[in-house]
């Protein structure tokens, strides 16, 4: 491969993995047009078509299928070299990339980050808030804070503890709807997650299986904001009920522990001083919050 290949190859891999130009653009943090330009340049350089358009997106041609394992091998070599160089870094300075969910980001982790910035003024943190699992082995992020029953990836995993979740609603919402609700929750409604579906399968496992899901969002902070404004019931961290006293437990429900919380990083980044300092600091501060995040459950 010549220098042009090295420049274009990450875009080729992103299209192959995402299946569409839009998905590849999101992976690369680039525009749709930029991804297209890199693909056009690579195809022009090799003189072959690497993808064909289908009804569902882009599909590798025979030439593309032959190129894919070579590109993946080259990517592995470069990522390995990058990790080794990062692992040799002993300075408490530089950039740490950190991914976490919206549930944890704003009211729980943000105050911890401010304290960390005061302790380590030469370490900068790039934060990505997303429910998508960033791939640590492909160096999409350095450190990830996740909820999961178990971690099967080849990463260093520091298991913390499960948070307690409860069912909450605004006092006014309960005053208006609870007296008229049926024994299975008829007349009540949940603020849903992901899809707007009135009777999703997960309702059967809730305290109010006959309630409906009228609207939905994947943003946990928007869920919480809607509940605080009397829109409906939401299952959220018991910690938020302490921050927002207008939210009260829905009668007939009790808080319960959810999936464990994990701090994840690549094994070779343990030797990087700034990464080690960040992980140790975050773990210590989160452990200090355990009583508040579990609320005695």
């Amino acid at each position: 491969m010549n220098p042009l290949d090295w420049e274009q190859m990450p875009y080729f891999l992103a299209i192959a993995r995402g299946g569409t130009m839009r998905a590849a653009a999101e992976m690369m943090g680039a525009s749709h047009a930029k991804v297209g330009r890199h693909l056009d340049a690579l195809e022009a350089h090799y003189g072959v078509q690497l993808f064909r358009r289908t009804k569902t997106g882009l599909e590798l041609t025979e030439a593309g299928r032959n190129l894919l394992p070579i590109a993946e091998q080259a990517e592995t070599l470069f990522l390995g070299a990058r990790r080794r160089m990062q692992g040799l870094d002993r300075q408490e300075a530089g950039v740490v990339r950190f991914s976490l969910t919206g549930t944890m980001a704003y009211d729980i982790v943000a105050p911890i980050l401010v304290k960390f910035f005061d302790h380590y003024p030469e370490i900068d943190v790039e934060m990505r808030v997303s429910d998508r699992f960033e791939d640590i082995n492909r160096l999409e992020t350095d450190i990830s804070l996740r909820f999961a029953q178990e971690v099967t990836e080849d990463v260093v995993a520091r298991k913390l503890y499960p948070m307690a979740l409860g069912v909450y609603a605004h006092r006014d919402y309960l005053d208006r709807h609870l007296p008229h609700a049926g024994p299975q929750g008829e007349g009540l409604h949940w603020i849903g997650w992901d899809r707007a579906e009135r009777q999703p399968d997960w309702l059967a496992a809730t305290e109010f299986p006959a309630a409906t899901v009228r609207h939905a969002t994947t943003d946990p902070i928007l869920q919480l904001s809607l509940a605080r404004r009397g829109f409906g019931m939401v299952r959220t961290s018991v910690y938020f009920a302490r921050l927002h006293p207008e939210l009260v437990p829905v009668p007939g429900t009790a808080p319960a522990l959810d999936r464990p919380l994990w701090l994840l990083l690549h094994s070779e980044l343990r030797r990087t001083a700034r990464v080690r300092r960040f992980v140790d600091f975050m773990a210590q501060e989160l452990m200090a919050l355990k009583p508040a995040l579990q609320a005695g459950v």
Side-chain angles (χ1 to χ4, degrees):
M1 294 185 184
N2 66 25
L4 176 65
D5 298 335
W6 296 124
E7 182 181 354
Q8 319 298 349
M9 208 56 67
Y11 295 89
F12 166 76
L13 287 171
I15 299 170
R17 289 164 180 159
T20 66
M21 298 291 280
R22 176 178 293 181
E26 291 179 356
M27 290 183 191
M28 297 299 297
S31 67
H32 186 286
K34 185 175 182 179
V35 174
R37 286 197 301 271
H38 281 283
L39 175 60
D40 290 343
L42 190 62
E43 290 183 328
H45 178 68
Y46 285 140
V48 296
Q49 183 180 359
L50 298 172
F51 295 93
R52 66 171 61 89
R53 293 190 178 276
T54 69
K55 292 182 179 180
T56 57
L58 294 174
E59 181 181 273
L60 286 165
T61 62
E62 182 179 358
R65 290 194 297 272
N66 285 324
L67 178 60
L68 182 61
I70 301 172
E72 289 176 332
Q73 184 179 13
E75 179 189 49
T76 299
L77 290 172
F78 270 92
L79 292 179
R82 179 177 173 182
R83 287 194 294 266
R84 287 183 180 276
M85 295 305 100
Q86 288 180 327
L88 296 174
D89 188 350
R90 297 292 186 267
Q91 295 183 349
E92 293 180 352
V95 176
V96 171
R97 297 176 302 156
F98 179 44
S99 65
L100 69 166
T101 67
T103 300
M104 298 296 298
Y106 304 103
D107 292 311
I108 299 173
V109 169
I112 298 175
L113 289 172
V114 172
K115 292 173 66 175
F116 178 81
F117 301 152
D118 288 340
H119 280 76
Y120 298 98
E122 298 303 315
I123 299 178
D124 301 327
V125 183
E126 293 180 0
M127 295 149 280
R128 176 175 293 192
V129 179
S130 172
D131 289 300
R132 173 180 173 268
F133 280 4
E134 305 285 337
D135 193 329
I136 291 176
N137 286 307
R138 294 192 184 279
L139 295 181
E140 293 180 350
T141 188
D142 298 326
I143 303 160
S144 183
L145 182 63
R146 296 185 191 168
F147 295 102
Q149 289 293 353
E150 60 180 8
V151 174
T152 58
E153 299 160 277
D154 183 19
V155 296
V156 176
R158 185 177 296 193
K159 186 176 182 179
L160 301 178
Y161 52 84
M163 287 174 52
L165 304 183
V167 180
Y168 296 94
H170 195 284
R171 298 173 186 273
D172 292 344
Y173 175 85
L174 295 177
D175 290 342
R176 291 195 312 269
H177 294 89
L178 201 58
H180 311 291
Q184 298 295 307
E186 298 88 344
L188 300 177
H189 74 273
W190 296 89
I191 302 170
W193 183 263
D194 191 20
R195 292 185 301 170
E197 184 179 357
R198 295 232 167 187
Q199 296 292 327
D201 293 340
W202 57 262
L203 269 182
T206 71
E207 297 87 340
F208 303 108
T212 58
V213 179
R214 295 179 50 195
H215 305 284
T217 174
T218 56
D219 185 342
I221 302 306
L222 179 55
Q223 271 195 334
L224 192 65
S225 181
L226 291 170
R228 292 175 56 204
R229 286 161 174 78
F231 182 74
M233 301 182 297
V234 64
R235 190 181 302 276
T236 190
S237 168
V238 297
Y239 186 77
F240 296 139
R242 296 179 55 182
L243 297 179
H244 308 294
E246 67 271 24
L247 291 177
V248 297
V250 177
T253 68
L257 296 179
D258 191 35
R259 297 158 296 168
L261 190 61
W262 302 77
L263 272 168
L264 309 178
L265 71 153
H266 195 281
S267 58
E268 293 184 10
L269 293 184
R270 286 184 299 180
R271 298 190 296 273
T272 303
R274 64 181 180 274
V275 171
R276 189 170 63 251
R277 294 291 181 266
F278 184 89
V279 170
D280 290 345
F281 191 93
M282 185 62 60
Q284 177 181 321
E285 294 296 319
L286 286 171
M287 289 305 299
L289 284 176
K290 182 177 179 180
L293 294 176
Q294 290 193 335
V297 177

